[in-house]
Amino acid sequence: MDRRAFLLTGAAALAGSNLARGAHALHLLDAPTPRPSAAQLQWQRDELAMFCHFGVNTFTDREWGDGTEDPAIFDPARCDPRQWARAARAAGFRAMILTAKHHDGFCLWPTATTRHSVASSPWRGGQGDVVREFVDAARAEGLRPGLYLSPWDRNNPAYGDSPRYNDLYCAQLTELLTRYGPIAEVWFDGANGEGPNGKKQAYDWPRFWALVRRLQPGAVMFSDAGPDIRWCGNEQGVAGDPNWSTVNPTVVSYPGESGPRVAPELQHGDPAGSVWRPSEADVSIRPGWFYHPAENDKVRSVGNLMELYRSSVGRNSKLLLNVPPTRDGLLHDVDVARLAEFRIERERTFGHDLAAAAPRRWKAEGPRSSVIDVELPAPARLAYSRLEEDLNGGQAVAHYSLYGGVGSDWKPLARGTTIGFAKIDRLPPVRVRRVRLVIDDALRSPGPVMLRLYGDA
Ligand code: FUL
């Protein structure tokens, strides 16, 4: 099916009457192909980002604080974000995101908007700034810093008094986005409970997004509804298959929106979607987002981290892996060791591309299909393939098949739908000399697809 046909089908699904369908389709047919911005491309090329949930919950052993926590409990004796950043960099991560404020409302920077912050804690004599140390550490290690600012605030008395709280939230965003240099990603979650006054807050998302765009035009914004990066729809680190980086923005138009079409849109995107909004897969290395001493023996295994890598990066998404600092303000030894092993295992599995120097022939088979033949330097037993589209022209591939040349036969190795930034497939352990990738269908003429092959490590 070509993009035109997809557009017509998508439009038909959207609209009720024939008249409406025609009008909608005509409108969409003129739509330009969505393409990633430079910031979105860079965000995706990072592949791996580390999430750091840190705050009063670290000290109360809870996941969601209720906002009544005494700032005096925040006192991480050996707090060292440089150690977090070193571990992230050593593990091959390229970005790092901190919970500058979680739902409990405690701010990890000295803010003028509330007294509920590090400035009221004994840590560094009330002179400390975790956000500053975090951002500096990330940059020193060559990582791009990002910040999470929870809109839900269970401490602030203004919460639920919508215009007043929206002003305050904008003031907090302004502090974070003007004091600390370039911020790569601003992370908004959709949790929206009642405030201390029992009132529910109506967030002014267009205002928040416009403010971030103005203050940090190079940053990408994440939420269920983007506008730049969308949630993958679960907290298990599993992106959809298929996974389009385009969406219909009217299906999920604000964070926390619900409805029958929301989950599939987040998981799979929409080939007829009019905006580029790739998915991010967030998940924790431990059962909780915050550090809990009882979970030291529940840190994910290397095998499990590899599965996460394949179900996120390997499905056209990005992995945002949470590694929570302890009460000392350090990443735990178990987590640091696991991160290092994760890198070793990725290099063992994906470090040597058998097809790197192999001659390849590409030929168009029709307006929306093509064939790529690769001749390996020597017969090899395969374990994984990694396909990559050139996204500068948008995402195109809708179906592909991979075959291995065994004798004079072609044996099927894998079949798939979307490719996007990367698609990783587990292959049967056959010994082959030649590999053929067939792009069976695409939204338009498929551009060159990179084919990488990995053997039994
Ligand atoms: C959710 C929050 O409620 C969780 O505590 C955690 O921060 C997760 C990443 O986002 O919305």
Side-chain angles (χ1 to χ4, degrees), residues 285 298-307 338 341-342:
I285 199 166
K298 297 197 174 69
V299 178
R300 286 176 186 273
S301 68
V302 177
N304 190 277
L305 293 174
M306 291 298 285
E307 274 172 35
R338 202 54 50 80
E341 291 164 38
F342 179 34

Side-chain angles (χ1 to χ4, degrees), residues 47 306 309-316 349-350 383-387 400 418-419 422-427 454:
E47 289 200 5
M306 291 298 285
Y309 182 76
R310 293 197 299 271
S311 67
S312 55
V313 176
R315 280 195 192 167
N316 188 32
T349 311
F350 301 118
Y384 291 100
S385 57
R386 175 171 166 141
L387 309 177
Y400 67 85
T418 51
I419 296 178
K423 176 69 197 298
I424 297 176
D425 285 301
R426 182 92 175 102
L427 306 180
Y454 304 98

